[in-house]
Every structure is written in C-alpha cells, then in structure tokens.
Amino acid sequence: MALLEVTDVASGYGEVQILWGASLKLYRGQLTTLVGSNGVGKTTLLRTVMGLLRPWQGTIVFDGQDLTRAPAHARAKAGLVLVPEGRQLFTDMTVLENLEMGAFSPRARAHFQENLDKVFALFPRLAERRGQKSGLMSGGEQQMLAVARGLMAQPELLIIDELSLGLSPLLALTLFESLTQLKKSGLTMLLVEQNVSLALAVSDYAYVMAEGRVVMEGEARALLKNDDIRRTYLGVAH
Amino acid sequence: MFGQLLSSLADGLLLGFVYGLAAMGLSLIWGVMTVINLAHGPVIALGMFTAYLLFTQAGVNPYLALLPVAVLGMALGLVIYGAAVHRVLNAPHLSTLLATFAVNMIIIGVGTAVFTTSPHNIDFSLGSFSLGPLTVPFTRVVAAFAALAATALLYLFLYFTRPGKAIRAVANNRMAAELMGISSTTMLALSFGLGTLLACLAGGLIATFFPFTILSGGPYELKSFVICVLGGLGNPLGALLGGLLLGGLEGLVPAFMPVSWVPVVEFGLFVLVLLLRPQGLLGAK
Ligand SMILES: Nc1ncnc2c1ncn2[C@@H]1O[C@H](COP(=O)(O)OP(=O)(O)OP(=O)(O)O)[C@@H](O)[C@H]1O
Ligand SMILES: [Mg+2]
C-alpha cells in the first residue's frame, strides 16, 4: 500500500485554477523526485497536500487515513512533514528554538533528544550555532536548519521543496549527501528540485508535472535517459 | 519645590508599572496577530468592576480578587477572539479594527446600562508611608510589585515554556507553525486571552486606588498605544520600560507646565517616535 496517495487533485488561488487533476503515489523507503518547469504548480501541489490550500476536488490519503479535509497542523501530527520553499524559519527565534518547534507534535516530542543528536551529527554547524537567532545565519545554514527542523518532526514522509535553491554547488552536494544518508536510514522522501540531474541521480522514482497535471512517471534512472526529459529539464541539446 | 518634584516623580513611576501592565496586553495581541484591540479600554474597566463587585458583594480582598479577575479576563478574551476576531483575522486591517470597536461599544453600552456612568470606588486602604518629602499609599506600591511580577511571569512563559514558544512561533510565521503541528488558531486564541487577562489585572489594580466608571479604561488604552510605540511590540520588558518612561514623564511634566499639557507631551512623543524610530524606542521589531 502506498504511504501517500494523491488522487486527481485540483486547487488554486482565489479564482485561478493551477492544478487540474494531479495524482501520485509514494511508497515507504523510497526517494521520489517531482520534476517540472518553473510555475507548473509543484509548490502548489505540495501546499495542497499539506493542507495549506484547500483541494477543490480529489483525495489525499496518508498512511491509510483520509486527510483531504484535515487542517495543516493535523497532518504534521500524522507524520506528513514539509520543508517549505523559501525555508520559512522562525527568524526571530534561536536555532535550538526552531528545532524545538519542529518537535512540537506529540509523536516527535517523545524522540526529541534522540532526533536532536541525529540532526546535530548530520549538520555540526547547527550544533555550534544553537544559540544564534536563525534569521541572522547564512543562506546555507538556514537551509540546513530548515531540513533539520523537518527531521525533528519525526516524519514518516519528508517532503522538501527546493533543497538547493540559492546554494553554492558545493553546499548543494553536501546537502544531497545528507539526503542519501537519510534514505539509507529508511526515511521516505519526496523532493522538488531545480537541479534535476542531481535529484534524479539519487532518486528511486520520479514524476513529471506540466500545466498542473502529472504527465509522466517512471524509474528515476530511466527518466535520466529519456530524450524528452534530457532536452526539457537537463538542458541537453539533441 | 525639589521635594514636590521628587514626590510627583515617584508617584508617576509607581503608576508607570501599572501603565506598563495595561499596555502589555495590547502589545501582546498586536505583536502576535497584528490586531489593534480597540476594546482594550473597556476590558480594563471590566477588570475594575469585577474587583469592585467581588469586594462590595462578597467582601473579597481586592488582591485576592485578582485571581478571579484573571480567570474572567482569560475567558472574556477567548469569547471576544471566537466571536469577533477569528473570522476577520485574514481580512484587511480595517475589519479587525471595526470588529474590536464593535466589542468596545457593546461593553460600554452594557456597562453603562448596568453601572451607570457615575464613579464607583473600592473603599479599601493599606495606609501610607512617608519618606522625607514623599508620602506614598501602600496600594500603589503593591500594584507596582504586582505589575512587576506579572511582567516576569509573562516573560518566563513566552521564553521558557512550550506553549509560550509556540505563541512566538505563530507570531513569527503562522504557516510554518502549522507545518510543525502547531494549531495556530489555538495559539492565537490563547494570546488574545492572555492579552485581555493582563488588561483586566491592570484594571483590578487601578481600582484599588482610583475611582472609576465604565469609561475609565479609555485613558489607559491611549497610554497603551504610546507605550507600545515606545517599547516595541510583543515584548513584556519593553512594555514595562515604556510604562515607566510614560509614568516618569507624567510625574515631571506638571512641575514645568500645567497638567493639561501632559497628553500633549505624551502624544508629541508618540508622533516623534513613530517618525524617527518606527520599530519602537526600545524594541528591536
Ligand atoms: N500565492 C499565490 N497567489 C496566486 N498565484 C500564485 C501563488 N503562488 C503561486 N501562484 C501561481 O501559481 C502558479 C504555480 O506556482 P507554483 O509556485 O506552484 O509553481 P512551481 O512549480 O513551484 O514553480 P517554481 O519551480 O518556480 O517553484 C504560478 O503561475 C504562480 O504564479
Ligand atoms: Mg516552487
């Protein structure tokens, strides 16, 4: 059974429809990438999955529970966790306070110390800066904190929107390195990523979005070889 | 002359603690949800009348009465939030102003019908002490300490407890807080409840030394605006310092010009700070 099953979801902003029936399935232990050009609705799909936008039609089932109408905070409590585009840190609060807020839900609270040790091992920078106001850190450090805060929530499924946006290539590689470590530990993840070749290289499976719909899917390795994908998203001339 | 100045300054500073407490409620609500609570004054007055009723009808010591006053303040805040504020929270600012102004009018209307507008007072005194040229009623001193204690408790709550930190998280980034499993509605309602609780407490303390009517909260509401601008938003220490600054000013100004100039000086300062340092004299935000 799929961990997350999104079926025929439509939504948008105000009167403007962005998603026109998007569907996808994620399985436990897999790393999946969602690919698509700028503005096709990837972030909108994630916002709808998280309950930040109300779906106009379709269903969202997570771990056997129908969460289609559940408020956003209930989804985090069920283990569905998003690292949002643009980080969205608590910029007036310290690094440690951000991590504490990540572990707000009861399921995460019980594992607080264990998870804190884990994220500090994964991102030693954060351990050094735990008392610093998060808004004053560098972009790279803020991105680490955004991922770490998501991990503190004890996710069943961790969704990351634009992990490497605005980061140096070296730092992006380091963060991807952390993702493969997390995958080895058994975490299920969904990535939305500008750097498509890097994302596909570490993923098991991928979905391709265009104009508010999922238009293609397959093994990540197969998509890496697909001519259409190479032309459109990898910038490879034919 | 000097003795008089000193005693008027001491008076002002002691009152300043209570001003700070009154402003803290407004500042908390403003800082957490960017709602300017125009029902702040009448809520302060309800704190006064709750203490008054408990004292006159049940003989409760006005300081013991602060406990039920606080409980009632929290309940009142939750009701106001649920009935008037929640549904317009994401509407343009004018809607929240109108909603809280409506609550203001309702409380004043009902309050006038029940209590009339003739002054009431709590006939209670702890005596006073003299220190050189100073004569200070003990009720003022107790009120200052109570305000100080409330400030410290609020500070500890916001910075060292889970729900307190969650309130700050919601104030900082409501969407991210929801994504972390924090119910923003619960935290906003709680903040509004705390804000009115603080206003009611301030009212209960003021009632131990000044006579009052249902309209008596008005001047404190205005002072609270000035203090929010002086002390910055959402920060209990800033509100307390702002209150002391304003109280001190009220103590000093009458020594140099007629008392009727006090509001002119206060609001002159208000405009000046808004122009030169809109993040607040003491606040970082
Ligand atoms: N808050 C909003 N209000 C109105 N329209 C929006 C809003 N956010 C996004 N849109 C519009 O919805 C469409 C899809 O945006 P979305 O952010 O989902 O795309 P995306 O696939 O995530 O793009 P990117 O790769 O640039 O992040 C765009 O046309 C965008 O202009
Ligand atoms: Mg996006």
Side-chain angles (χ1 to χ4, degrees):
Chain A
M1 197 185 71
L3 177 58
L4 175 71
E5 186 160 358
V6 176
T7 312
D8 198 26
V9 160
S11 79
Y13 304 94
E15 301 280 288
V16 185
Q17 184 162 359
I18 304 291
L19 298 179
W20 298 83
S23 304
L24 50 80
K25 284 185 191 180
L26 304 181
Y27 291 90
R28 267 182 208 281
Q30 288 214 325
L31 173 50
T32 307
T33 291
L34 180 61
V35 177
S37 315
N38 291 120
V40 294
K42 305 181 295 295
T43 298
T44 305
L45 177 59
L46 299 188
R47 284 191 186 133
T48 312
V49 166
M50 293 311 300
L52 298 173
L53 284 176
R54 192 183 299 275
W56 300 359
Q57 75 172 46
T59 55
I60 295 155
V61 178
F62 179 71
D63 206 5
Q65 298 177 61
D66 185 347
L67 293 183
T68 311
R69 304 271 150 220
H73 61 88
R75 301 180 199 219
K77 286 187 186 124
L80 178 56
V81 176
L82 172 69
V83 176
E85 191 176 52
R87 306 182 190 110
Q88 308 291 341
L89 295 177
F90 302 117
T91 48
D92 294 338
M93 300 173 81
T94 66
V95 168
L96 190 60
E97 284 175 333
N98 269 271
L99 296 173
E100 285 171 8
M101 291 300 102
F104 188 85
S105 64
R107 69 194 308 280
R109 216 170 298 173
H111 301 274
F112 179 74
Q113 196 54 49
E114 172 196 331
N115 284 334
L116 191 67
D117 293 343
K118 243 190 265 176
V119 300
F120 280 165
L122 199 60
F123 303 116
R125 279 303 277 162
L126 296 181
E128 294 163 23
R129 311 226 131 192
R130 70 182 79 191
Q132 163 137 35
K133 221 188 216 190
S134 70
L136 300 177
M137 295 198 301
S138 75
E141 290 167 337
Q142 292 197 11
Q143 191 63 312
M144 290 178 199
L145 180 55
V147 174
R149 185 180 64 175
L151 289 169
M152 289 303 291
Q154 182 77 9
E156 289 287 318
L157 168 60
L158 184 66
I159 306 178
I160 305 180
D161 197 355
E162 308 286 11
L163 179 66
S164 73
L165 193 71
L167 302 186
S168 72
L170 184 65
L171 195 57
L173 266 176
T174 319
L175 281 175
F176 268 89
E177 197 64 41
S178 323
L179 289 192
T180 47
Q181 276 185 48
L182 290 170
K183 179 174 147 52
K184 277 200 198 104
S185 73
L187 183 62
T188 314
M189 286 180 282
L190 172 63
L191 292 186
V192 169
E193 181 53 49
Q194 296 287 312
N195 191 334
V196 175
S197 55
L198 199 53
L200 288 179
V202 298
S203 296
D204 301 299
Y205 203 77
Y207 289 92
V208 181
M209 270 185 87
E211 291 164 6
R213 291 186 180 85
V214 173
V215 293
M216 195 193 296
E217 63 182 280
E219 302 279 330
R221 226 165 310 158
L223 287 187
L224 258 179
K225 296 197 188 108
N226 180 297
D227 282 340
D228 279 347
I229 299 289
R230 288 165 68 87
R231 251 195 322 269
T232 319
Y233 304 106
L234 303 181
V236 180
H238 200 51
Chain B
M1 169 64 200
F2 180 70
Q4 207 179 2
L5 185 67
L6 200 67
S7 113
S8 136
L9 179 64
D11 253 7
L13 285 177
L14 282 176
L15 262 184
F17 282 96
V18 182
Y19 292 166
L21 180 61
M24 229 166 278
L26 189 77
S27 164
L28 183 70
I29 292 170
W30 194 346
V32 169
M33 61 197 94
T34 51
V35 167
I36 295 176
N37 181 18
L38 291 181
H40 190 63
V43 167
I44 294 175
L46 283 183
M48 296 170 171
F49 277 98
T50 308
Y52 170 81
L53 287 178
L54 285 166
F55 179 75
T56 53
Q57 306 299 312
V60 182
N61 177 292
Y63 296 117
L64 273 182
L66 291 179
L67 198 70
V69 165
V71 172
L72 198 89
M74 171 59 76
L76 181 68
L78 295 178
V79 169
I80 296 177
Y81 179 83
V85 178
H86 183 68
R87 68 193 72 224
V88 290
L89 208 54
N90 296 317
H93 282 319
L94 187 60
S95 312
T96 54
L97 284 176
L98 286 173
T100 56
F101 187 68
V103 174
N104 166 81
M105 294 309 288
I106 291 169
I107 298 177
I108 287 179
V110 173
T112 306
V114 176
F115 301 111
T116 73
T117 50
S118 52
H120 294 61
N121 78 309
I122 295 184
D123 190 10
F124 172 84
S125 160
L126 294 174
S128 58
F129 68 94
S130 299
L131 211 131
L134 294 181
T135 303
V136 182
F138 276 112
T139 46
R140 300 278 188 101
V141 179
V142 174
F145 274 105
L148 199 62
T151 311
L153 285 177
L154 180 65
Y155 180 82
L156 292 175
F157 173 72
L158 289 176
Y159 285 83
F160 295 97
T161 71
R162 286 177 60 80
K165 289 178 192 180
I167 285 179
R168 285 166 54 224
V170 168
N172 195 175
N173 190 325
R174 209 181 293 171
M175 182 192 84
E178 279 281 329
L179 287 175
M180 297 302 123
I182 301 171
S183 161
S184 55
T185 304
T186 307
M187 293 305 152
L188 292 172
L190 181 62
S191 319
F192 206 96
L194 274 176
T196 51
L197 180 157
L198 292 166
C200 282
L201 271 187
L205 288 171
I206 294 165
T208 61
F209 46 76
F210 285 151
F212 49 88
T213 73
I214 193 70
L215 299 171
S216 293
Y220 297 96
E221 180 173 330
L222 290 179
K223 287 185 211 304
S224 297
F225 284 119
V226 180
I227 292 168
C228 283
V229 166
L230 292 177
L233 294 180
N235 171 4
L237 297 179
L240 191 73
L241 290 176
L244 287 174
L245 198 63
L246 201 70
L249 213 63
E250 284 189 10
L252 287 180
V253 170
F256 302 100
M257 46 186 110
V259 178
S260 51
W261 279 85
V262 167
V264 179
V265 173
E266 282 175 2
F267 281 90
L269 190 68
F270 177 83
V271 172
L272 211 65
V273 172
L274 275 184
L275 284 177
L276 299 179
R277 217 183 128 79
Q279 71 272 40
L281 211 52
L282 311 158
K285 254 170 55 164

